[in-house]
Amino acid sequence: MEFVKKYLTEIVLILGIFVVFGVTAIFNDAYTERFFDNVTTLILRPAAILGIFALGAAVVIIAGGIDLSSGSMIALSASLVCITTMVFCKLLQPDADDPTGVVPVWVVCIAALITIGVAILVGSLHAWLITVVQLPPFVATLASLVGLRSLSIVMNKAVSKQFGAEAVIVNIQDSRYLLTNAPWWLPLAIFLTLALILWLILNFTVMGRHIYAMGGNETAARLSGIRTDRLKWFAYCFAAVTASIAGMLLASSVLLADPQSQGTGGELFAIAAAVIGGCSLSGGVGRVSGVVLGALFLRVVIDAVAKLITSGNSANYEGMIVGLLVVLAVALNEVTGSSAGWRKQFFPGALGVVALISIGLLFGSVIAFSLTLSDQVANSWLIGIIVALVTSSVLSLIKLLAWQLGKTKSHALSKL
Amino acid sequence: MGANNEVQIEIRSVSKRFGGVVALDNVSFQIRRGELLAICGENGAGKSTLMKILCGQHLDYDGDIVVNGETVRFSGIKDAERFGIGIIHQELNLVDELSVAANIFLGRELSRFGLLCQKTMNERAAAFLNQLQCEISPSIRVGALRVGDQQLVEIAKAIGLGAKILIMDEPTSALTESEVTRLYRVITSLRQRGVTILYISHKMEEIFHLSDRIAVLRDGRYIDTVDTANVTPRQIAQMMVGREFVQTDLRRASKHGENGEQPVLAVRGLWRSWPGHAKHWRLKDICFDVHAGEVVGVAGLMGAGRTELFECLYGCCGDEFGGDIRLQGEQVQFKHAQDAIRHGVSMVTEDRKRFGLFTNLTVRENVTLSSLEQFTSLGWISSRKERSVCRSIIERLRVKLAGQEAEIQSLSGGNQQKCLIGRALLNQPKLLLLDDPTRGIDVGAKAEVYQLLNELAQNKIAILMSSSELPELILNCDRIIVLCEGRQTGMFSASEATEQAIMEAATAIDVRDTSISN
């Protein structure tokens, strides 16, 4: 029972993964027909890449901060690894028409090391801004969120101009480095290794204990003789390095760097995976196992929607799903953690009325839009309106019930 | 002063629990209209909890509050204000950046067509302040006022709300003598206007000067209410602690530092700056020694600089500071708490919740946090060693708990404090800094802390402790230094120290300061 209570998040996530997977398998035969392909390329590989930088986001969150820069860090790293590879190749074979056609392994290794080195510099810069200049973590990493992506674009243009024609997108021709040509388990192995390392650090080392302490109560941690500045340095560097590893994997999955699109919104996906996995944004709380399962769950749900919404661009729905999951996960945490629990009144007063109307409208319009796009139902707009009305009415009923309950409760109290 | 026997508020079997701790246990008594009822009890007796229930801050309790014959259950502070109940907190609830008038009308601003009526508010605020016979400009920023004036603004705010029952929680703890006199005047004028006052204080002199009756609480239970005219301060003190004061002499017989032994801590000419403040310094010219096995007390009113002094010694001081601080002869000036710990200085902070506890960690993790290096190799924690070290310190300090893995919040305040003392002791300190170590813990736990101090001193640890309770310092300390507004205004040996003498030194405001305050 203790075990269940402690690992409730993980248990719920494992159940959730199986349920979503099962439901998708029933409605879409892609899983049953090409099970292995689907699970490896559409779930495990993307989940691993997401999970890698979600681990970084989680460390920062547990340490009591926030890192908004991972999406842009991914773009910068993808660009860096490609552009340094290209530069090396051009220098080695100045006259070749297709210098990146055959890239020596050592060149890729050096490019990767340079990229990770830059990530450490970016992480250190964040730590400096936060601990010395004393910017709030939100502001410091927000600056990187907007800054690093545009830096990558300018960098790609400038370097490619220097070595030929100006271009934002950098291609590598040598298809040996295409991720699909590598064993399918490679990103997964990197992910699980990083997760194992982080798990060991957080649970069995002094630094890990200090990170939880700092996240829980930073002043008390400093007064206990903990060098909080160094811990923050580690956290932000770890976040930047994991994002850069994810960025390099992403670049290798298409063999090009496109800073305009790669990794956009990555920071929110990472924070979402961490939060779904049970990390508290107020710091000090979270486990590696939760984050691993959170990333997997997020990916399974996104893939399920892609399978179930057969027409149009399913990627358009990702934002809505992530938003919904994050709100649900945090709300669930709050509700089970608070003393009022489920007896809490969720739609009090005028704000409650507005909330239940807007939730109804949101549900109705999402249904109407997606049915219209799928071309399968004729009266999609009518169905949308009905869904909106039904949702609002059900929620109103809940409001009325809670109100009645509250009235009888206070009545009983005043009689006592 | 129209005190009659008509009951205005009746408290009927009120109980309140915080988790496993009973803060109030079946408390019942009556408050009469127009009286000044002093509420006495040691820290943790439940005074503040009861007052928070009365003013609508704690909503979740058992029992009834009857106001003017009507059973009420407040839905919040605003609701209590409707019944005319106002509270002046010990820590004032004002917005520093807003003007006096804006504070007085905070939350119920006068407006016309959505625009604020600054002028009317200023006029009315001035009128309220006039009723209190004090001259504070309503347009001045509250942050620029002295604490005593800020308190009057709070009182004016309560009057503005139409308060008929005013709760004052240790209103004089931060006031200078002249400000206290002015507060007495204000209280008299409030009572002439028929306001009932509940007055919480530790200071017998004030209580006997002001009150009609005295209600005593002890360990969350109601003891009795007595007419002030019929009792002596000594009897009240006995009711508060529930036993005759036994002056157990915990002090060690040996004299320290007389045979020329080197002190563990020697402080000469310590100063600490105060950027942006008119005074420019928080501490000035502090000089004292602490020898091995000696307990030195730091006395002073709120804002005298006790915590500021500890911060300088422990390296967690945000301001520039200087002077000659020697630890066993070696000159030191710590930049970080870690430096202090490595040099054998440990501190238990004043505010347990904010600066001490990690509520997300277990008891074991809380206790071992700052000494993890002792049982780690290459950064790797040996959990077997950690557990055994934690067990031994818990047994040594006699902490009562369900187990090492219990949540720290499931412990009572006294046991939490012992855990924090345990954390400090695990660093094997030569010098232990205890900033108000018995704040908010019950009488029994206090006695155990005193016992522990004695044991530690016998083990040759040098202890510097502060306390807001003078009897506690007199009981435990070999020597007491007294601070007043950042300066050292007295030093007493155990034989010289009396409450009277210490309080005189602690309120030794020079003429210049007094003239500013009036």
Side-chain angles (χ1 to χ4, degrees):
Chain A
M1 214 41 227
E2 272 297 292
F3 181 86
V4 173
K5 210 175 151 190
K6 188 176 175 195
Y7 292 98
L8 189 64
T9 316
E10 282 87 339
I11 293 168
V12 170
L13 282 175
I14 291 174
L15 288 177
I17 289 167
F18 278 109
V19 168
V20 174
F21 191 81
V23 170
T24 319
I26 293 171
F27 287 102
N28 187 300
D29 39 9
Y31 281 140
T32 37
E33 279 173 9
R34 288 177 295 117
F35 177 80
F36 185 77
D37 266 9
N38 264 291
V39 169
T40 52
T41 60
L42 288 178
I43 295 181
L44 290 181
R45 191 189 293 152
I49 295 179
L50 165 64
I52 287 171
F53 62 99
L55 288 174
V59 171
V60 174
I61 289 172
I62 291 171
I66 190 89
D67 188 350
L68 297 178
S69 73
S70 40
S72 301
M73 195 59 225
I74 286 171
L76 177 67
S77 312
S79 298
L80 257 174
V81 80
C82 290
I83 207 109
T84 33
T85 305
M86 191 202 78
V87 168
F88 268 106
C89 292
K90 292 251 181 180
L91 290 175
L92 288 171
Q93 307 157 275
D95 305 323
D97 293 337
D98 188 13
T100 60
V102 181
V103 183
V105 177
W106 65 267
V107 168
V108 175
C109 288
I110 288 181
L113 283 178
I114 290 175
T115 309
I116 288 176
V118 170
I120 291 173
L121 291 181
V122 171
S124 309
L125 193 67
H126 287 156
W128 177 73
L129 285 173
I130 291 161
T131 60
V132 181
V133 187
Q134 303 209 311
L135 295 185
F138 190 94
V139 176
T141 56
L142 183 68
S144 298
L145 165 65
V146 289
L148 293 182
R149 189 173 294 279
S150 95
L151 173 72
S152 325
I153 295 171
V154 174
M155 174 182 77
N156 282 4
K157 279 186 176 174
V159 178
S160 54
K161 186 178 177 188
Q162 186 73 41
F163 288 90
E166 181 182 313
V168 175
I169 297 174
V170 182
N171 284 290
I172 302 294
Q173 307 296 339
D174 190 343
S175 60
R176 284 180 303 156
Y177 297 102
L178 197 63
L179 194 61
T180 44
N181 290 342
W184 66 269
W185 45 261
L186 184 72
L188 194 66
I190 297 175
F191 173 41
L192 292 179
T193 312
L194 279 171
L196 180 70
I197 293 172
L198 186 63
W199 180 72
L200 291 173
I201 290 177
L202 286 183
N203 288 291
F204 300 102
T205 67
V206 177
M207 185 165 70
R209 182 75 59 80
H210 285 179
I211 286 175
Y212 278 106
M214 177 173 77
N217 188 342
E218 192 179 332
T219 319
R222 203 167 44 241
L223 290 172
S224 304
I226 295 174
R227 293 277 178 178
T228 50
D229 295 2
R230 296 177 191 172
L231 294 180
K232 285 184 189 170
W233 191 29
F234 167 78
Y236 286 96
C237 282
F238 189 84
V241 168
T242 50
S244 83
I245 294 173
M248 290 188 280
L249 287 173
L250 215 58
S252 114
S253 68
V254 282
L255 268 197
L256 60 82
D258 178 8
Q260 283 160 332
S261 69
Q262 276 168 335
T264 41
E267 60 286 342
L268 293 181
F269 280 83
I271 294 168
V275 169
I276 291 170
C279 295
S280 159
L281 283 178
S282 46
V285 177
R287 281 187 300 273
V288 172
S289 50
V291 180
V292 170
L293 289 169
L296 190 59
F297 179 70
L298 198 57
R299 184 59 220 175
V300 168
V301 174
I302 289 171
D303 187 57
V305 171
K307 292 261 190 309
L308 297 179
I309 296 174
T310 43
S311 61
N313 187 354
S314 71
N316 293 343
Y317 291 85
E318 281 181 12
M320 284 188 275
I321 299 157
V322 174
L324 182 70
L325 286 180
V326 168
V327 169
L328 280 182
V330 177
L332 210 66
N333 251 330
E334 288 297 317
V335 169
T336 49
S338 80
S339 56
W342 293 104
R343 282 170 298 145
K344 179 179 179 157
Q345 202 175 343
F346 283 100
F347 300 101
L351 187 60
V353 175
V354 177
L356 60 88
I357 292 174
S358 40
I359 292 176
L361 278 177
L362 201 61
F363 264 61
S365 45
V366 169
I367 297 285
F369 298 155
S370 48
L371 287 181
T372 308
L373 288 174
S374 74
D375 295 325
Q376 284 169 349
V377 194
N379 298 323
S380 56
W381 297 98
L382 186 66
I383 294 174
I385 293 169
I386 292 171
V387 168
L389 286 175
V390 169
T391 315
S392 298
S393 327
V394 169
L395 294 177
S396 310
L397 212 64
I398 294 175
K399 175 185 163 70
L400 283 177
L401 269 175
W403 185 56
Q404 280 296 334
L405 276 175
K407 235 174 39 177
T408 45
K409 194 183 160 201
S410 67
H411 193 64
L413 272 175
S414 67
K415 266 189 173 175
L416 274 170
Chain B
M1 304 205 192
N4 51 31
N5 289 345
E6 188 194 339
V7 174
Q8 187 167 25
I9 300 181
E10 188 178 350
I11 292 156
R12 279 192 204 148
S13 358
V14 168
S15 299
K16 166 88 188 161
R17 305 168 66 91
F18 293 104
V21 184
V22 180
L24 286 175
D25 183 9
N26 209 8
V27 170
S28 307
F29 65 95
Q30 298 175 337
I31 300 157
R32 295 174 186 165
R33 188 179 305 282
E35 75 172 337
L36 193 149
L37 178 69
I39 310 226
C40 287
E42 294 198 280
N43 283 348
K47 299 169 305 217
S48 297
T49 310
L50 183 61
M51 293 308 121
K52 281 179 181 162
I53 288 175
L54 268 182
C55 72
Q57 248 178 304
H58 289 325
L59 308 175
D60 185 21
Y61 59 90
D62 298 323
D64 279 327
I65 307 286
V66 182
V67 181
N68 298 328
E70 185 192 344
T71 305
V72 292
R73 199 158 185 103
F74 302 133
S75 61
I77 297 173
K78 287 248 163 189
D79 203 24
E81 282 169 358
R82 282 199 305 122
F83 283 87
I85 300 178
I87 185 163
I88 312 296
H89 286 283
Q90 196 175 352
E91 278 110 31
L92 300 171
N93 266 326
L94 295 170
V95 185
D96 277 357
E97 299 308 318
L98 293 182
S99 74
V100 169
N103 268 287
I104 290 176
F105 285 95
L106 195 65
R108 49 186 193 98
E109 286 79 2
L110 305 176
S111 62
R112 199 189 295 151
F113 313 122
L115 298 174
L116 291 174
C117 305
Q118 293 287 10
K119 201 163 159 243
T120 328
M121 284 196 284
N122 277 347
E123 282 164 13
R124 296 229 195 136
F128 293 138
L129 291 164
N130 255 337
Q131 287 174 13
L132 300 175
Q133 299 165 2
C134 51
E135 288 159 16
I136 299 170
S137 160
S139 54
I140 200 169
R141 203 174 60 88
V142 159
L145 295 174
R146 292 173 59 97
V147 180
D149 289 342
Q150 292 184 355
Q151 197 175 44
L152 293 177
V153 173
E154 279 259 34
I155 295 175
K157 185 176 167 185
I159 292 173
L161 286 164
K164 292 275 164 252
I165 302 148
L166 199 56
I167 301 168
M168 299 178 133
D169 193 356
E170 300 203 34
T172 59
S173 56
L175 300 192
T176 63
E177 223 163 332
S178 62
E179 285 171 329
V180 170
T181 320
R182 188 174 56 170
L183 181 69
Y184 285 0
R185 222 165 52 220
V186 169
I187 287 174
T188 313
S189 88
L190 285 173
R191 297 195 62 195
Q192 275 161 358
R193 294 148 43 85
V195 177
T196 309
I197 295 175
L198 298 180
Y199 193 92
I200 299 180
S201 178
H202 287 297
K203 298 178 187 161
M204 290 296 164
E205 191 195 329
E206 285 171 29
I207 289 168
F208 277 79
H209 180 78
L210 291 169
S211 69
D212 301 315
R213 295 196 304 154
I214 302 171
V216 182
L217 295 177
R218 184 206 311 152
D219 295 343
R221 281 188 298 274
Y222 169 70
I223 303 301
D224 200 5
T225 306
V226 289
D227 285 333
T228 310
N230 301 337
V231 288
T232 62
R234 198 175 171 79
Q235 284 170 315
I236 293 295
Q238 267 173 38
M239 286 165 75
M240 277 162 59
V241 291
R243 57 187 145 76
E244 206 42 78
F245 267 127
V246 195
Q247 281 284 0
T248 39
D249 196 3
L250 289 171
R251 279 163 291 177
R252 292 136 301 280
S254 65
K255 292 269 176 270
H256 301 279
E258 286 192 348
N259 42 12
E261 77 179 290
Q262 192 182 43
V264 174
L265 175 73
V267 174
R268 294 289 175 272
L270 176 71
W271 55 267
R272 172 173 174 174
S273 67
W274 196 347
H277 192 274
K279 233 164 61 173
H280 297 302
W281 41 266
R282 288 179 202 271
L283 293 172
K284 206 174 177 182
D285 293 335
I286 310 291
C287 301
F288 63 94
D289 292 341
V290 188
H291 291 87
E294 188 182 29
V295 182
V296 174
V298 182
L301 299 174
M302 224 166 81
R306 295 181 314 205
T307 300
E308 287 79 358
L309 170 63
F310 281 81
E311 285 173 353
C312 290
L313 300 175
Y314 191 58
C316 56
C317 166
D319 311 314
E320 205 186 329
F321 70 103
D324 188 30
I325 306 172
R326 283 173 192 274
L327 205 62
Q328 295 189 315
E330 180 197 353
Q331 190 167 15
V332 292
Q333 185 162 358
F334 302 127
K335 295 268 189 304
H336 192 281
Q338 196 184 50
D339 298 340
I341 290 173
R342 290 203 172 138
H343 280 82
V345 180
S346 280
M347 177 155 94
V348 176
T349 50
E350 175 187 35
D351 193 329
R352 201 164 49 235
K353 286 234 163 56
R354 278 171 61 210
F355 303 138
L357 294 179
F358 298 91
T359 50
N360 58 328
L361 303 181
T362 63
V363 168
R364 166 178 54 86
E365 290 166 331
N366 265 285
V367 168
T368 57
L369 190 71
S370 49
S371 52
L372 285 172
E373 268 108 26
Q374 288 170 23
F375 26 87
T376 52
S377 48
L378 301 170
W380 206 262
I381 302 171
S382 153
S383 78
R384 196 173 45 81
K385 267 193 209 160
E386 187 192 354
R387 265 172 241 279
S388 80
V389 166
C390 180
R391 194 179 316 114
S392 69
I393 197 87
I394 282 173
E395 281 165 10
R396 179 173 163 205
L397 301 182
R398 296 180 287 275
V399 182
K400 290 179 206 74
L401 76 178
Q404 290 186 26
E405 304 305 313
E407 283 180 39
I408 190 86
Q409 273 178 309
S410 66
L411 272 57
S412 70
N415 283 310
Q416 288 177 355
Q417 189 69 356
K418 284 193 214 164
C419 286
L420 295 188
I421 294 176
R423 183 196 292 165
L425 287 181
L426 279 180
N427 297 322
Q428 269 121 29
K430 290 178 291 215
L431 173 65
L432 187 59
L433 307 171
L434 301 171
D435 196 1
D436 212 347
T438 61
R439 176 164 135 164
I441 67 179
D442 62 45
V443 185
K446 274 183 193 177
E448 288 188 61
V449 169
Y450 299 161
Q451 191 61 42
L452 181 66
L453 284 178
N454 192 31
E455 282 171 29
L456 294 175
Q458 276 167 359
N459 289 334
K460 290 291 168 199
I461 294 178
I463 298 173
L464 186 67
M465 73 176 283
S466 76
S467 174
S468 40
E469 292 165 48
L470 291 181
E472 179 172 294
L473 290 177
I474 295 173
L475 184 68
N476 289 290
C477 298
D478 300 300
R479 230 146 24 93
I480 296 171
I481 60 170
V482 186
L483 301 181
C484 172
E485 306 236 316
R487 274 166 312 152
Q488 190 175 340
T489 50
M491 161 119 57
F492 300 94
S493 69
S495 53
E496 301 162 336
T498 61
E499 285 192 49
Q500 179 78 23
I502 294 173
M503 195 44 85
E504 274 167 19
T507 51
I509 315 296
D510 68 19
V511 188
R512 260 181 307 117
D513 281 4
T514 321
S515 64
I516 296 168
S517 76
N518 282 334

